Amino acid sequence: MTPLIGVIGGSGFYKLDNLTHVEDIDVTTPWGKPSSKVMILNLPSNVQIAFIARHGIHHSLTPSEVNSQANIAALKHIGVKAIVAFSAVGSLREEIKPGDFVIPNQIIDRTKSIRQHTFFGPGQGVVTHAMFGEPFSPSLSNFIAPLIKEVLPDNVDLHTSTDQSDKTVVCMEGPQFSTRAESRMYQQLGGDIINMSVLPEAKLAREAELSYSLICTSTDYDAWRINEEPVTVAEVIKTLTTNATNSKHVVQNVLQHVHEALLKEGILTEQGSMQYSIITPKERFTQEAKNTLSFILPDYFK
């Protein structure tokens, strides 16, 4: 059985020990090895999903070191159609409390261009411009939101975008946390939460034509509260364990419904999205580019 859903676990979320382990797949991609072996697991219904620990199973990779190219390429290559990723975040809003869940629909990029943010890099001879106005899959995010709300504990709120307002995640470089001035600036820019990992992951998922949604778990209030001490690592770690438990519960109880939806038409709106993003004429593709890019986009680079 080919897993249709890939799960990427963030800080504190390194395994899915509440599911039945089937096998580990050691994938080598043209962009290197993913952060961990791809773990194939059975949901209670025996539907299989694929899991990667973003920072490695022992959290040995900083956000800037994560090989997102390999992570996304590995999941796409084994047959995954949609990714539900998890990330610990800092809250930039009073109403988003530590322990709450957030499904963002927008991103502000504050990384520093030291990460490999495209599969179409220098030397390939292939130019693409992927659409990224909606950085997450609206259909997938809208589908999972009510399901997540239903299974979360009563004391945990879920925050999502509305027709009137976005839920925006700021992605910073790290590994240091924000200064207080930066944190307040991000608020003024419209940020609601902040992390270090959603980019280039979301961009690469789009280039690989994968539907991608991010489920964020708040660990702290970042540094913007003027009358309180800035966040400490101890506070973050304290909340991570509870958030990871709730995240595993979401996976166990929600992804079966996602799998069923993926078998129907309409939710995989990203499939075919790169067809008109590739600017270089097909006859100009080098054999090297075909050999590399066919790993993730075989329909275009045979």
Side-chain angles (χ1 to χ4, degrees), residues 215-290:
I215 300 173
C216 300
T217 54
S218 173
T219 59
D220 59 87
Y221 277 117
D222 205 53
W224 56 271
R225 286 178 156 191
I226 294 176
N227 296 321
E228 297 189 22
E229 291 296 317
V231 61
T232 65
V233 174
E235 291 173 330
V236 172
I237 299 299
K238 184 177 173 182
T239 312
L240 281 175
T241 302
T242 300
N243 288 354
T245 299
N246 288 336
S247 295
K248 293 175 185 179
H249 186 67
V250 166
V251 169
Q252 183 176 16
N253 291 281
V254 168
L255 294 196
Q256 170 62 35
H257 301 289
V258 177
H259 175 84
E260 293 167 359
L262 292 177
L263 297 176
K264 304 173 184 177
E265 295 183 0
I267 193 169
L268 294 175
T269 55
E270 285 66 40
Q271 284 191 323
S273 61
M274 291 297 290
Q275 182 177 358
Y276 302 108
S277 296
I278 302 168
I279 308 302
T280 306
K282 189 172 183 179
E283 59 270 19
R284 303 300 297 176
F285 295 169
T286 65
Q287 190 58 50
E288 182 181 358
K290 291 179 182 178

Side-chain angles (χ1 to χ4, degrees), residues 89-270:
V89 299
S91 170
L92 298 171
R93 304 293 170 189
E94 190 72 43
E95 66 271 17
I96 301 176
K97 308 179 300 300
D100 281 359
F101 276 51
V102 185
I103 300 178
N105 69 314
Q106 284 296 324
I107 303 172
I108 294 174
D109 187 355
R110 293 289 295 170
T111 60
K112 297 178 180 177
S113 300
I114 64 175
R115 309 178 185 196
Q116 297 301 317
H117 60 277
T118 179
F119 288 114
F120 304 91
Q124 295 239 341
V126 179
V127 177
T128 65
H129 297 288
M131 299 296 291
F132 204 58
E134 297 291 344
F136 304 103
S137 170
S139 57
L140 181 58
S141 294
N142 291 338
F143 181 82
I144 63 176
L147 298 173
I148 292 173
K149 187 173 184 178
E150 188 176 323
V151 302
L152 286 178
D154 292 339
N155 64 332
V156 177
D157 291 327
L158 174 66
H159 305 266
T160 61
S161 61
T162 67
D163 292 338
Q164 289 75 41
S165 64
D166 293 323
K167 281 291 176 285
T168 299
V169 54
V170 178
C171 187
M172 62 178 289
E173 191 63 55
Q176 299 84 0
F177 291 129
S178 307
T179 68
R180 197 186 305 278
E182 289 171 332
S183 189
R184 296 184 70 191
M185 177 186 71
Y186 297 145
Q187 285 183 317
Q188 294 174 11
L189 289 175
D192 298 289
I193 51 179
I194 183 167
N195 83 347
M196 302 178 189
S197 300
V198 67
L199 295 175
E201 196 171 271
K203 289 183 176 180
L204 294 165
R206 180 60 50 82
E207 288 187 344
E209 295 189 337
L210 292 171
S211 297
Y212 177 94
S213 289
L214 185 70
I215 300 173
C216 300
T217 54
S218 173
T219 59
D220 59 87
Y221 277 117
D222 205 53
W224 56 271
R225 286 178 156 191
I226 294 176
N227 296 321
E228 297 189 22
E229 291 296 317
V231 61
T232 65
V233 174
E235 291 173 330
V236 172
I237 299 299
K238 184 177 173 182
T239 312
L240 281 175
T241 302
T242 300
N243 288 354
T245 299
N246 288 336
S247 295
K248 293 175 185 179
H249 186 67
V250 166
V251 169
Q252 183 176 16
N253 291 281
V254 168
L255 294 196
Q256 170 62 35
H257 301 289
V258 177
H259 175 84
E260 293 167 359
L262 292 177
L263 297 176
K264 304 173 184 177
E265 295 183 0
I267 193 169
L268 294 175
T269 55
E270 285 66 40

Side-chain angles (χ1 to χ4, degrees), residues 25-36:
I25 303 177
D26 190 3
V27 183
T28 300
T29 80
W31 298 274
K33 291 273 193 182
S35 300
S36 70

